[in-house]
């Protein structure tokens, strides 16, 4: 299939871009930051996203969602990146939606998915435990207890964990810390006895949480998927997240480039616009080419996920690695070509640089995904 959007996909893209530009621009990010809002996003915005079908875009229609798949989700995430809009779309609408849709029982799907699609429930993934992304490195233990399990461990980086109504926790039911087998996913109520949620703030003004689990009692109905075989389900959700993070970073790079072009056309030096200087034109042309490559690899990854292509994990890692580097280049060049004003809080470009750095590290940086591609391709 050609790496181009269909008419329906262009409609989704245009709708998302218009919505976030109007309702959640960078000025809204500034407002939430300056007010030190503990929620980290506007709940009314999240409700409006549900009304438009955005919140449930990756949730099957049978469970109240739009069922439009990962390309549509990626287009929404790209618009979010372009405007630096804050919402639980990534944690709930992509990661949790994928996990519950793929691994949930009929009862779990009926209980969770309609509420997630209606923006009535926020579900957060609690997986990573180490400073660097290593999905199989799980030390949190789930010991047998009665008819269920007793959960203990620490998850230091849980996106939207501070406002989650449910947590999906990766824990080890067997094996040692680094083994790929023996990992199980559990649905956990953050208000349950033994669960402590501590809010944290990241450099890009987004909130995460440190979640501590101390002897949390669960029963068999809280298991998501199959006991001991949770890594494959977790990786499927992470690949969806990686491809959509690539889409978000594409939006960041594209918007940073647009801001820079506008600045080059208006900022004058020596009596002429600085955009007329050949050295800056060459740098801008190089960046344009890199962004076009990023668009292609991102769309390929999203399409591969929708088509259940066996190579989808490779494309997801390729997109995450490539677009992370492009977003870094775009924001670095934008700061450089803005000059001193780009280093101040008055200019929006600094917000894009911070978000690009955080997104590039989330769920694996360039080095992680380069190594993963080599392993997947059996090098």
């Amino acid at each position: 299939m050609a790496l181009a959007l269909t008419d329906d996909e262009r409609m989704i893209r245009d709708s998302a871009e218009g919505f976030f530009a109007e309702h959640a621009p960078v000025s809204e990010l500034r407002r939430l930051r300056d007010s030190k809002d503990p929620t980290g996003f506007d709940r009314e915005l999240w409700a409006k996203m549900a009304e438009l079908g955005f919140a449930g875009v990756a949730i099957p229609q049978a469970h109240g969602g739009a069922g439009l798949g990962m390309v549509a989700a990626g287009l929404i995430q790209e618009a979010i990146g372009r405007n630096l809009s804050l919402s639980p779309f990534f944690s709930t609408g992509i990661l949790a939606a994928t996990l519950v849709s793929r691994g949930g029982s009929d009862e779990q799907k009926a209980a969770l998915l309609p509420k997630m699609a209606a923006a009535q429930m926020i579900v957060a993934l609690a997986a990573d435990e180490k400073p660097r992304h290593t999905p199989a490195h799980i030390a949190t233990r789930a010991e047998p207890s009665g008819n269920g399990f007793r959960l203990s461990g620490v998850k230091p980086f849980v996106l939207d964990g501070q406002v989650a109504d449910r947590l999906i926790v990766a824990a080890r039911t067997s094996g040692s810390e680094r083994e790929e087998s023996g990992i199980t996913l559990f649905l956990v109520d953050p208000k349950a006895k033994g669960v402590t949620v501590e809010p944290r703030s990241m450099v890009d003004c987004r909130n995460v949480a440190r979640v501590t689990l101390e002897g949390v009692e669960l029963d068999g109905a809280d298991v998501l998927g199959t006991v001991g075989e949770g890594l494959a389900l977790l990786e499927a959700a992470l690949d969806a997240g990686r491809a959509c993070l690539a889409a978000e970073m594409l939006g960041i790079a594209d918007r940073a480039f647009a801001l820079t072009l506008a600045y080059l056309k208006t900022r004058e030096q020596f009596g002429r616009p600085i955009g007329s200087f050949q050295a800056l034109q060459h740098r801008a042309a190089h960046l344009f080419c890199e962004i076009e490559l990023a668009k292609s690899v991102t769309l390929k990854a999203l399409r591969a996920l929708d088509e259940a292509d066996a190579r989808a994990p490779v494309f997801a890692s390729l997109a995450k690695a490539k677009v992370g580097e492009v977003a870094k280049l775009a924001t670095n060049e934008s700061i450089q070509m803005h000059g001193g004003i780009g280093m101040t809080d008055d200019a929006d470009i600094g917000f894009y640089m911070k978000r690009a750095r955080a997104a590039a590290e989330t769920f694996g940086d360039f080095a992680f995904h380069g190594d993963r591609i080599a392993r997947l391709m059996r090098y």
Side-chain angles (χ1 to χ4, degrees), residues 142-158:
E143 303 289 349
S145 176
N147 294 324
F149 298 87
R150 181 181 293 111
L151 204 59
S152 296
V154 177
K155 301 291 183 178
F157 182 77
V158 182

Side-chain angles (χ1 to χ4, degrees), residues 180 229-237:
E180 294 189 354
E229 299 178 11
L231 184 60
L233 178 58
L234 177 61
E235 285 284 14

Side-chain angles (χ1 to χ4, degrees), residues 24-37 83-84 86 204-205 341 344-352:
V26 181
S27 59
E28 178 65 6
L29 169 66
R30 288 180 179 274
R31 184 190 69 80
L32 290 166
R33 180 201 65 173
D34 294 343
S35 65
K36 301 187 185 301
D37 187 284
N83 294 280
L84 300 181
L86 299 175
D204 60 348
C205 305
I341 191 68
T344 71
D345 195 63
D346 289 337
D348 287 343
I349 194 63
F351 290 94
Y352 286 90

Side-chain angles (χ1 to χ4, degrees), residues 20 46 49 54-55 57-58 70 73-74 76-78 80 85-99 116 122-125 157-160 202 206 208 237-249 320 355 358-359 362-363:
F20 290 109
W46 183 227
M49 290 175 65
F54 291 170
V57 69
M70 283 297 114
I76 294 169
Q77 195 72 31
E78 182 181 346
I80 286 173
S85 307
L86 299 175
S87 78
F89 177 71
F90 181 72
S91 61
T92 300
I94 295 173
L95 296 175
T98 302
L99 287 166
M116 291 161 60
I122 296 171
V123 183
L125 172 62
F157 182 77
V158 182
L159 294 168
D160 292 320
M202 296 202 298
R206 295 172 189 241
V208 297
L238 289 174
D239 278 334
R242 290 158 179 158
C244 287
L245 275 173
E248 181 181 354
M249 290 188 291
K320 182 65 167 58
R355 179 58 193 154
T362 302
F363 298 150

